[in-house]
Amino acid sequence: MRNSWFDLSAADCGVAKVALMTRFALFPAVVLLAATAAAASAQTAKKQLTPDTYDSWRTISGATLSPDGRWTAYTLAPVVGDGELVVRATSGNAEYRTPRGWTGRPINSVTVDSPFVAPPPVFSGDSRYAAVLAYAPQADFDAARRRKARPADMPKSRLKLVRLSDGNVTTIERVRGFRLPRESTRWVVYQLEPDSGAAPAGNDSTRRSGAPRREYGSLLVVRDLESGAESRIADVSSYAVDDSAKWLAYAVTSHTPANEGVFLRALGSEQRTPVLSGEANYKQLAFDRAGAQLAFVSDKGEYPKDKARFSLYYATVKAPNAVAIPATLDGLTPSDRGSVSFSRTGSAIVFGVAPAPMDTIPADSLADKAVFDLWHWKDPRLQPQQLREIARDRNRSWTSVYTVATKSALRLANDSMPNVTLSEDAKTAVAVTNVPYAIEAMWGDGGSDVVLIDVASGKRTRIATKLSFGASLSPSAKYVTWFDNGRWHSYSVGTGKVVDLTGALAGVRFDDEEWDSPSTAAPYGLGGWTRDDKSVLAYAHFDVWELDPAGVRPPRVVTDSLGVRTHTEFRVVDLDPEQRFFEPNEPLILRAFDTKSKAAGFYRDRLDGAAAAPVRIVMADVGYGNPQKARKAAQLLITRSTVADFPNLWTGASFDQLTRISDANPQQSQYSWPTVDLVEWVSGDGVPLQGLLYKPEGFDASRKYPMVVYYYERLSDGLHQYHAPTGRNVVNPSVYTSLGYLVFFPDIVYTPGWPGPSALKAIVPGVQSLLARGFVEPKAIGIAGQSWGGYQSAYLITATNMFAAAVPNAPVANMTSAYGGIRWESGLARPFQYEKTQSRIGGSLWEYPVRFIENSPLFHLDRVTTPVLFMHNDGDGAVPWYQGIELFVGLRRLGKEVYMVNYNGDGHNPRKRANQKDIDMRMQQFFATKLKGAPPPDWMVRGIPALEKGRDQIAPKATATSSPIPESQRP
């Protein structure tokens, strides 16, 4: 086996020994001299993209249209720094801008999971005002951090109200949050932060025994948008405003128990009506959609010893005297965790029930005791997963429903059916549960049962078992649909009849035709329903089909098979999320994507009348974002992009009549920017493939360029994706082409059981097809990948010496040890990944030991001649970093050139901004050294001893071996 690239036994894969094609010729390893880099740097007079440019590149977020479609508002912010609110007219040139403060907040700690996301702006119902929460400038936050300010003394947010008639901005300081109701034409309600010098929250000892901690309120303000007049309410702990902006409900929790309670008042009136009074906590206030009913939970009343018990309360606006609802269900009581809401029709209250909070064991009581986890072979969830989910388990509440008309309550969810969907009229519920198959899910054999619940009687009927893709309830709750055995099925809630909706369509597949994992192919999905659940729209690969859920009318292809004929994928566009169905007599808008050329656009079709091909509105060589439509006007807002065009905002009355109304990054014209070609070749298995070749501005086909190859699975659909310059653990084509490289993104298709050889047989021929064109320097090709791409990079260098440098970040090196590992971020065991999903082995370690070994780079590291740099962090929650250690130790033992970077405590993809930029810098330096002949940086020459840890980031040493890289090659 060791004498050929790969050798499979007949018993293992059903074929005789297979050697890869001899046209995968091996290139001798070389160190490219600096002379070849000169060609890459002589592009244009434009500037290169360098790390100091990354943070200033701006993004557009939270873009929204006013109800009348005459305005759009969005946040324009740099990656790091202060942003601004932009309010722009959709016709003409009127535009208002106001600072929004520190909205570009980088993650500066490895313990933070997600970046700060500023909430989007909102418009008043009459489109006369825009409102947004703004923040202090970054400089104020930095100053507070330097003086180690307490959380209460950190800079506070502020409310900004923009009058659209003239752009006047009203700023209100120290605002915690606000509500501008959906139909409000006059009122905005906001809550202020407590004064930093205010007395601390009250003395809990004044509360009755067993009551939960007091949650005292702060000042609530009702403001007239036009006049500026304000009404102030003290000590408000929670509040709700109905969609029509007629009613305000609020809870008062103060140091004076006699003043406490829930109150109702009409907006614009100072008169308040008590809904429930008394010393208590009041939470989760909610109106129904009509603004006629109110519900909340409270702990008012008697308390068991050492426990607090909440009750659900109900009132109407006409009779605002809250009544406690007797809702002790299976020994559980309404919970202050979760949320209270009304069903869409307002006929029922949806709430959570839970047992009294469980006591925790004080840590100091275990000081002289054994502390351990017991892993039991029948546990549905392994101990690591239980520990990761312990906060969720401790605070879980079970969905329940109270039907107003019958005054009856029913607990819908429980520990065996934790997830439930309730119909809009609250008469029917569907539970989809994977609990019965939790153990099998460890190796990818899980599934879900579907249970129908009749809310009136409480009857539960199991209607499907062990489905791979769950089930859904139709909008009018007449049917439950699911996908199984390659077919769509429906279940009639009224009759109990199950119908196979697509089995009779010979030759039409509704599951993914390109699925290349050893698991059940996923469906393309459903596009929505027509009124009264008359029909459901289902996707095949290219076309949209209309199915009769009753099984009476035959299926029909809505798009008249135009998708199949033109290799164009059609998908339904929902421009009105509030509309629960599509009207057959109204135009049906379709998103279109040409899978061959990657052009995109929109078509128009209808569901009534005879089948006819959809009518094209627009198709273009661009990438479109998700469109939105104004609520009360025929005005559209969408982004469109190319590799060279940032996804700016475009607006118009039709998709073919759009005008650009933003210019987020005008500075881009100063920098070298790539072009991109869609390239095609044939894999080693004879499969036609596509990929993306990014070329530097001013590309000259008569010269030879260094090239970096980056991949994951399939990336060619991103032909028109814009890549803002950024520093991270991936190859950014905008940055690397600016530095003089070609960048190649090849697609990969897989043979289940052989992911490593599949990558080899896809990538190497793709590279060779570019070499044949004559503009790639064959001795200056590098490869890089992250995670799954990192694994494939590690495998490739064991099978070919074509590449002069490799960066296999966060890779799996040894599938035999990775198979039995844990994904520590989720606590899940890893076998499912190898047996059924991305790693594609197709079975267990004991079924296919040869596959595990042959696909593992570790066992073939003696073949490696390529220098390697990679990142693997000790806080990686997806691929345990011991995989990186195995790769590093193996290469070191064999005397191979290898460097491993570990960002302490950071995750699979670095979260901390400084770490992101650091790995970007080191990757660029590594490739410059190996592919351009630049002098190696000091860390590659002498390493970074532990005693000097961090010094290279504060005061880098200037040594003869770390002489400056020429400016044309500088990362």
Side-chain angles (χ1 to χ4, degrees):
M1 248 188 184
R2 304 291 291 170
N3 295 325
S4 62
W5 271 352
F6 100 35
D7 192 1
L8 316 180
S9 69
D12 197 41
C13 69
V15 297
K17 292 183 178 180
V18 177
L20 291 186
M21 302 175 69
T22 56
R23 65 192 182 94
F24 292 175
L26 306 183
F27 288 101
V30 297
V31 177
L32 191 63
L33 300 178
T36 61
S41 63
Q43 303 170 44
T44 67
K46 290 187 177 181
K47 295 186 289 186
Q48 291 181 328
L49 293 165
T50 54
D52 61 310
T53 64
Y54 299 164
D55 291 348
S56 62
W57 226 258
R58 292 185 291 183
T59 62
I60 290 175
S61 63
T64 185
L65 280 167
S66 62
D68 66 2
R70 296 177 60 194
W71 298 91
T72 183
Y74 59 92
T75 299
L76 182 64
V79 174
V80 178
D82 297 335
E84 57 186 339
L85 172 70
V86 181
V87 183
R88 174 70 154 79
T90 55
S91 63
N93 297 315
E95 183 178 89
Y96 311 131
R97 297 192 176 212
T98 183
R100 201 176 174 191
W102 192 26
T103 50
R105 302 186 190 181
I107 293 179
N108 291 319
S109 169
V110 297
T111 60
V112 177
D113 290 327
S114 58
F116 169 81
V117 178
V122 294
F123 286 98
S124 61
D126 57 3
S127 303
R128 293 191 301 141
Y129 287 86
V132 73
L133 207 61
Y135 310 92
Q138 181 181 357
D140 291 1
F141 283 92
D142 290 343
R145 178 170 54 86
R146 286 193 296 271
R147 69 173 182 266
K148 299 181 179 179
R150 302 177 305 163
D153 296 328
M154 293 296 288
K156 303 303 180 186
S157 54
R158 58 198 66 168
L159 174 63
K160 290 198 171 188
L161 302 171
V162 182
R163 188 168 60 205
L164 303 183
S165 60
D166 58 7
N168 178 70
V169 178
T170 300
T171 302
I172 303 167
E173 299 292 337
R174 300 184 62 83
V175 173
R176 174 184 294 179
F178 74 95
R179 309 275 174 83
L180 187 56
R182 176 183 173 88
E183 300 301 335
S184 177
T185 60
R186 184 177 178 186
W187 307 107
V188 63
V189 181
Y190 62 89
Q191 192 165 24
L192 296 176
E193 293 279 2
D195 292 334
S196 58
N203 185 349
D204 284 351
S205 64
T206 64
R207 294 285 286 156
R208 287 170 289 180
S209 173
R213 181 176 178 175
R214 301 294 280 139
E215 298 179 10
Y216 294 118
S218 62
L219 192 65
L220 187 73
V221 181
V222 180
R223 180 184 178 90
D224 187 316
L225 288 167
E226 193 63 29
S227 69
E230 293 186 339
S231 174
R232 302 189 164 215
I233 309 169
D235 300 320
V236 174
S237 56
S238 60
Y239 68 99
V241 187
D242 78 307
D243 286 346
S244 65
K246 294 179 180 178
W247 299 101
L248 167 68
Y250 60 93
V252 173
T253 309
S254 71
H255 295 271
T256 308
N259 295 334
E260 294 186 359
V262 172
F263 303 91
L264 181 71
R265 59 183 278 182
L267 286 173
S269 168
E270 296 287 333
Q271 183 178 355
R272 71 176 191 178
T273 301
V275 178
L276 184 65
S277 301
E279 180 187 8
N281 283 306
Y282 304 94
K283 298 184 177 184
Q284 304 177 35
L285 277 68
F287 282 104
D288 66 344
R289 292 172 66 88
Q293 302 174 98
L294 175 68
F296 56 92
V297 296
S298 174
D299 57 2
K300 176 180 168 60
E302 299 298 324
Y303 299 92
K305 184 180 179 181
D306 299 326
K307 302 292 181 185
R309 186 170 70 181
F310 280 78
S311 295
L312 179 67
Y313 286 84
Y314 170 78
T316 64
V317 170
K318 291 183 177 180
N321 297 311
V323 177
I325 295 171
T328 299
L329 304 174
D330 303 321
L332 307 182
T333 57
S335 173
D336 65 332
R337 307 184 290 271
S339 63
V340 169
S341 64
F342 282 86
S343 63
R344 187 176 178 88
T345 61
S347 59
I349 304 170
V350 184
F351 62 102
V353 295
M358 185 182 299
D359 291 331
T360 57
I361 301 173
D364 57 3
S365 70
L366 300 174
D368 57 351
K369 306 270 193 318
V371 180
F372 64 98
D373 303 323
L374 175 63
W375 296 45
H376 193 287
W377 71 292
K378 289 187 177 181
D379 281 344
R381 295 177 294 159
L382 294 185
Q383 281 288 319
Q385 184 179 357
Q386 292 184 51
L387 293 170
R388 294 293 298 180
E389 297 174 355
I390 196 167
R392 185 203 69 180
D393 291 344
R394 184 176 290 123
N395 296 313
R396 170 174 278 164
S397 61
W398 305 112
T399 302
S400 303
V401 60
Y402 173 80
T403 303
V404 175
T406 61
K407 295 183 172 58
S408 61
L410 178 68
R411 176 182 170 190
L412 300 175
N414 52 47
D415 54 2
S416 63
M417 290 188 293
N419 301 309
V420 174
T421 300
L422 187 67
S423 65
E424 296 177 1
D425 61 6
K427 295 180 179 180
T428 305
V430 170
V432 179
T433 175
N434 61 4
V435 172
Y437 312 104
I439 294 178
E440 297 96 316
M442 190 183 87
W443 53 88
D445 278 343
S448 297
D449 290 352
V450 183
V451 177
L452 186 71
I453 305 171
D454 180 271
V455 173
S457 66
K459 181 182 178 182
R460 296 170 184 258
T461 305
R462 195 172 302 268
I463 61 175
T465 59
K466 205 172 185 182
L467 300 179
S468 298
F469 306 106
S472 61
L473 186 64
S474 62
S476 297
K478 294 183 177 181
Y479 298 96
V480 180
T481 54
W482 64 81
F483 192 80
D484 189 38
N485 292 323
R487 302 173 178 180
W488 282 105
H489 297 78
S490 69
Y491 173 91
S492 171
V493 173
T495 67
K497 181 181 178 182
V498 177
V499 177
D500 179 345
L501 301 180
T502 57
L505 291 172
V508 180
R509 288 185 58 180
F510 292 85
D511 57 348
D512 191 342
E513 296 175 350
E514 298 176 342
W515 196 263
D516 56 8
S517 294
S519 58
T520 303
Y524 288 107
L526 299 178
W529 291 77
T530 59
R531 179 180 288 276
D532 203 30
D533 294 350
K534 291 294 185 182
S535 62
V536 60
L537 304 180
Y539 298 139
H541 188 177
F542 296 108
D543 289 294
V544 180
W545 287 76
E546 185 178 20
L547 310 176
D548 175 12
V552 177
R553 290 174 284 114
R556 75 177 187 99
V557 56
V558 175
T559 47
D560 197 35
S561 298
L562 180 65
V564 170
R565 295 196 299 272
T566 61
H567 301 282
T568 301
E569 292 178 348
F570 288 109
R571 298 296 182 259
V572 177
V573 176
D574 185 2
L575 292 174
D576 186 1
E578 283 294 303
Q579 183 74 297
R580 310 296 286 175
F581 41 76
F582 295 105
E583 295 285 5
N585 60 348
E586 293 180 356
L588 184 70
I589 303 300
L590 302 170
R591 178 189 289 274
F593 180 75
D594 187 318
T595 59
K596 296 294 185 182
S597 71
K598 314 304 179 184
F602 298 90
Y603 279 66
R604 183 183 297 107
D605 209 336
R606 298 185 72 88
L607 292 173
D608 58 352
V615 177
R616 184 172 68 177
I617 301 173
V618 64
M619 286 291 285
D621 291 324
V622 300
Y624 286 103
N626 292 323
Q628 56 177 295
K629 176 186 168 295
R631 279 200 294 126
K632 301 176 182 179
Q635 189 74 21
L636 301 169
L637 184 69
I638 196 170
T639 62
R640 48 181 284 178
S641 65
T642 69
V643 68
D645 297 310
F646 177 86
N648 277 297
L649 297 174
W650 294 69
T651 188
S654 175
F655 289 111
D656 59 346
Q657 298 176 3
L658 298 174
T659 302
R660 182 168 61 85
I661 57 170
S662 71
D663 187 9
N665 292 290
Q667 78 282 4
Q668 180 182 313
S669 61
Q670 304 172 26
Y671 294 91
S672 174
W673 209 261
T675 57
V676 62
D677 292 341
L678 183 65
V679 297
E680 296 183 342
W681 70 98
V682 177
S683 78
D685 286 331
V687 178
L689 293 176
Q690 293 180 309
L692 306 178
L693 177 63
Y694 296 89
K695 299 184 295 188
E697 187 169 341
F699 171 78
D700 183 352
S702 67
R703 291 165 34 195
K704 292 187 182 294
Y705 292 80
M707 184 170 73
V708 178
V709 187
Y710 185 82
Y711 35 78
Y712 193 78
E713 292 187 352
R714 290 185 175 95
L715 299 176
S716 65
D717 284 356
L719 175 66
H720 301 301
Q721 180 180 350
Y722 178 88
H723 297 272
T726 185
R728 257 198 62 203
N729 48 314
V730 298
V731 172
N732 182 295
S734 300
V735 172
Y736 275 76
T737 55
S738 176
L739 299 175
Y741 297 95
L742 296 168
V743 176
F744 181 38
F745 283 11
D747 282 354
I748 305 168
V749 295
Y750 299 91
T751 299
W754 302 102
S758 296
L760 183 73
K761 291 188 285 185
I763 294 168
V764 172
V767 172
Q768 289 180 327
S769 73
L770 297 180
L771 284 168
R773 300 188 185 189
F775 50 70
V776 178
E777 171 52 59
K779 298 178 181 180
I781 305 173
I783 55 172
Q786 163 68 23
S787 189
W788 181 241
Y791 155 71
Q792 293 173 114
S793 296
Y795 181 87
L796 284 179
I797 59 175
T798 70
T800 176
N801 60 7
M802 171 182 281
F803 306 109
V807 181
N809 286 327
V812 165
N814 180 0
M815 287 191 172
T816 67
S817 60
Y819 174 81
I822 297 291
R823 297 176 66 95
W824 292 107
E825 195 163 80
S826 62
L828 295 175
R830 296 176 60 85
F832 75 92
Q833 182 173 330
Y834 292 86
E835 297 192 33
K836 296 294 185 181
T837 61
Q838 188 176 60
S839 297
R840 296 176 167 88
I841 294 300
S844 72
L845 180 60
W846 305 276
E847 292 175 282
Y848 300 116
V850 173
R851 293 186 185 183
F852 277 87
I853 292 171
E854 286 299 312
N855 283 283
S856 296
L858 180 74
F859 298 102
H860 316 299
L861 293 181
D862 56 324
R863 306 173 185 174
V864 174
T865 60
T866 305
V868 176
L869 161 72
F870 70 97
M871 174 209 76
H872 212 142
N873 303 327
D874 53 24
D876 194 321
V879 180
W881 86 302
Y882 59 71
Q883 288 292 314
I885 295 173
E886 290 192 52
L887 178 62
F888 178 84
V889 170
L891 289 169
R892 173 186 165 96
R893 169 63 181 83
L894 293 165
K896 313 293 184 179
E897 182 180 359
V898 59
Y899 313 87
M900 183 173 97
V901 179
N902 166 29
Y903 295 104
N904 303 151
D906 217 334
H908 187 57
N909 290 287
R911 294 183 286 263
K912 188 176 180 180
R913 182 63 173 163
N915 293 344
Q916 294 174 351
K917 296 180 75 171
D918 187 81
I919 189 60
D920 170 71
M921 173 194 72
R922 297 186 194 280
M923 287 172 60
Q924 289 187 30
Q925 290 175 337
F926 179 70
F927 280 131
T929 300
K930 298 302 180 182
L931 305 185
K932 292 184 175 183
D938 188 67
W939 61 268
M940 286 181 63
V941 176
R942 60 183 295 271
I944 303 175
L947 286 173
E948 299 180 18
K949 184 174 179 176
R951 290 180 183 272
D952 68 318
Q953 298 190 38
I954 299 172
K957 289 186 177 181
T959 66
T961 58
S962 61
S963 57
I965 296 174
E967 185 173 350
S968 62
Q969 304 167 29
R970 196 172 298 163

